[in-house]
Amino acid sequence: MSKVIAVIGAQWGDEGKGKIVDLLAERFEIVVRYQGGHNAGHSVQVGDQSFVLHLLPSGIVHRGKTCVLGNGMVIDPKAFFVEADRLTQQGVEVSPERVKISSRAHLILPYHRALDHTSEERLGNEKVGTTLRGIGPAYEDKAGRRGIRTADALVPDVLRSRIERNLEDANRIIEAYGGEPLNADEIFREMSVLTERLGPFIADTTHYLNVAATEGRSILLEGAQATLLDVDHGTYPFVTSSTTVAGGAIIGTGLAPHRLNGVLGIVRTYTTRVGEGPFPTEMLEGEAELGQMIRERGREYGASTGRPRRCGWFDAFATRYAAEINGFSSVALTKLDVLDTLDEIKVCTGYKLNGRVCESLPAVSQDLRRVEPIFETLPGWQSSTLGTTELSALPTNARRYVDFLSEQIGVQIGLISTGPERSQTIIVHDSKLGQWLRDNE
């Protein structure tokens, strides 16, 4: 029986992981975020209620589920309580009994946010397009062995000394680019209040999760961002600062590798990207109007920032790369209904660079800007799939499109989302995902 499953975005993020994790969470006892911070934005629609989550796993909206913020995350305590208080107002319990924060997770402090702004200004035309929430600088401090972990912050003397030490360096950079220096005493007072409130949530989550796995409890691992934003395997340097792929689920939780029973990849029926960076299948020039139509139909605006997402055709070549890295056992396909009105749909099946067909995804971002996508065009279905719950009820051309994507990715599609609500979903019962769901009933 599969007990530990990781859910991974296969594109540049925003694939609909929030809905899929929410849908699966009722079959699992523990739901875990393992990387990233409040730069993530997952939207969950339950009836007429909409929940926007940035730090907490999507399982939080299910009663009785334990939610874990793993050691691989960077956590802004202020953002955590803003989110927790908003969810409480919506009737969701966010308590130390339900939510456990790793004692080894690193904190985001005010100077991290200031450094994030400074870093983007320094880069000018080569800026990455971050959310400016201090994620990157916090991970830099972690790698530089000067970070402040949640457990460290509970010791006032340790918290104060590390703030003073780190701020000395941070202020030099901030002032060099015209920013106002920050005050160590003010930061210490603010963080002391926040970390005291955070204290009851902090636990040794690595031990907790490994004990739970040994006991046979079911665990769902939820990633933020996605494969093509991975700090190692993504379109560097236009990436996030953490490990978003399946290997990161192990590092970011402390679960032993053999615990992982399966990996579910999440893909849209088209592709989007937020911020800067190469995007080979982006709808530009003659397709700009079509891209805007898809943006509006798919509500493609960032849950964290509100920024409009760049839209493009499905990139099967890049998605095969994601499947290879993550070892997807099954794939969930989202937003099929957004394409309902199109008479033709293009799918990128490969790239050409300097007249040659690429064997693998180019590592250099400038090469990715120059590649020529190889497209195949499929007929649309021009009828509504919104709310469809049975595979057999899909229009013939929609079925053909789904089958074509599965063939191109090289992984069976086990779930098709046909709308934002939980009920608007097709489960392919003879798929690997269908088996997981039956095993965890």
Side-chain angles (χ1 to χ4, degrees):
M1 179 183 295
S2 294
K3 289 290 185 181
V4 182
I5 303 298
V7 177
I8 311 289
Q11 296 162 315
W12 277 289
D14 307 308
E15 297 91 352
K17 294 183 292 296
K19 172 186 171 173
I20 304 305
V21 173
D22 170 64
L23 183 69
L24 300 178
E26 63 182 1
R27 311 290 184 101
F28 290 79
E29 298 170 78
I30 303 168
V31 185
V32 189
R33 267 281 306 275
Y34 60 82
Q35 49 77 220
H38 63 307
N39 54 339
H42 291 172
S43 300
V44 176
Q45 187 75 30
V46 183
D48 59 356
Q49 266 198 306
S50 179
F51 302 93
V52 178
L53 306 169
H54 299 287
L55 279 167
L56 286 157
S58 302
I60 193 68
V61 300
H62 291 263
R63 293 182 185 276
K65 307 299 178 183
T66 301
C67 293
V68 173
L69 279 65
N71 58 274
M73 292 186 67
V74 288
I75 297 168
D76 184 329
K78 188 174 182 178
F80 173 81
F81 287 116
V82 167
E83 184 170 325
D85 292 344
R86 186 184 67 249
L87 288 169
T88 299
Q89 292 173 0
Q90 291 183 276
V92 177
E93 181 193 352
V94 183
S95 66
E97 289 70 37
R98 288 201 66 202
V99 177
K100 300 181 186 300
I101 298 174
S102 172
S103 55
R104 293 175 171 85
H106 282 245
L107 292 177
I108 297 173
L109 283 84
Y111 55 80
H112 290 131
R113 293 191 291 272
L115 287 169
D116 215 350
H117 281 270
T118 300
S119 176
E120 286 288 82
E121 289 171 8
R122 290 164 66 192
L123 289 170
N125 292 334
E126 296 183 0
K127 65 181 181 179
V128 175
T130 76
T131 57
L132 302 177
R133 298 189 174 186
I135 309 298
Y139 275 116
E140 286 183 47
D141 276 1
K142 176 180 178 177
R145 300 183 295 278
R146 54 184 176 268
I148 301 174
R149 301 183 302 175
T150 58
D152 302 325
L154 297 179
V155 184
D157 289 345
V158 173
L159 178 62
R160 178 183 285 278
S161 66
R162 293 192 182 175
I163 287 174
E164 290 174 348
R165 180 192 65 188
N166 291 348
L167 192 56
E168 190 175 329
D169 291 335
N171 273 339
R172 276 198 289 267
I173 298 171
I174 293 166
E175 289 183 274
Y177 288 88
E180 289 293 324
L182 304 181
N183 182 277
D185 288 336
E186 290 178 5
I187 293 174
F188 174 71
R189 285 194 294 270
E190 178 187 357
M191 295 304 295
S192 294
V193 173
L194 289 167
T195 53
E196 183 177 358
R197 187 180 173 191
L198 200 68
F201 293 89
I202 297 172
D204 185 344
T205 58
T206 296
H207 177 67
Y208 170 78
L209 291 172
N210 277 288
V211 169
T214 299
E215 292 173 348
R217 299 177 69 189
S218 52
I219 303 172
L220 189 63
L221 308 178
E222 175 184 355
Q225 291 85 46
T227 300
L228 298 178
L229 292 174
D230 183 88
V231 69
D232 286 301
H233 302 288
T235 51
Y236 191 89
F238 302 96
V239 294
T240 193
S241 303
S242 58
T243 303
T244 62
V245 296
I250 298 303
I251 296 168
T253 59
L255 281 164
H258 73 273
R259 303 283 194 192
L260 189 60
N261 302 116
V263 182
L264 175 64
I266 315 296
V267 298
R268 265 201 194 87
T269 51
Y270 51 96
T271 310
T272 67
R273 179 162 197 168
V274 172
E276 309 300 323
F279 187 178
T281 66
E282 186 172 9
M283 295 170 178
L284 296 171
E285 298 174 356
E287 295 180 325
E289 187 175 332
L290 178 58
Q292 180 61 28
M293 183 272 287
I294 288 176
R295 182 179 298 117
E296 296 304 322
R297 282 184 58 85
R299 300 176 185 175
E300 298 300 348
Y301 296 88
S304 289
T305 63
R307 288 185 294 181
R309 296 168 183 148
R310 300 154 63 190
C311 295
W313 299 110
F314 188 89
D315 191 333
F317 187 67
T319 309
R320 281 200 301 274
Y321 169 76
E324 182 177 60
I325 291 169
N326 291 289
F328 292 146
S329 315
S330 189
V331 163
L333 184 66
T334 66
K335 297 203 173 184
L336 182 69
D337 55 296
V338 174
L339 303 184
D340 283 349
T341 62
L342 301 187
D343 58 349
E344 290 186 337
I345 302 170
K346 296 192 326 191
V347 176
C348 171
T349 59
Y351 297 163
K352 281 185 178 180
L353 181 61
N354 298 326
R356 296 184 177 182
V357 175
C358 297
E359 293 185 3
S360 61
L361 197 75
V364 179
S365 62
Q366 291 303 319
D367 286 344
L368 273 171
R369 292 186 190 279
R370 296 189 301 112
V371 295
E372 176 188 346
I374 301 168
F375 285 113
E376 288 199 34
T377 301
L378 285 76
W381 43 95
Q382 295 185 292
S383 59
S384 177
T385 62
L386 181 66
T388 303
T389 58
E390 295 294 333
L391 192 62
S392 59
L394 287 178
T396 300
N397 284 346
R399 280 287 304 273
R400 287 174 178 164
Y401 182 68
V402 171
D403 290 343
F404 183 77
L405 296 190
S406 178
E407 178 186 323
Q408 288 295 313
I409 299 168
V411 183
Q412 185 181 20
I413 291 172
L415 180 152
I416 304 165
S417 173
T418 58
E421 297 189 18
R422 289 175 185 166
S423 60
Q424 296 174 317
T425 306
I426 298 169
I427 303 293
V428 182
H429 296 290
D430 62 353
S431 68
K432 186 70 174 178
L433 176 60
Q435 179 186 328
W436 293 342
L437 296 178
R438 288 192 300 274
D439 287 346
N440 285 324
E441 285 181 348

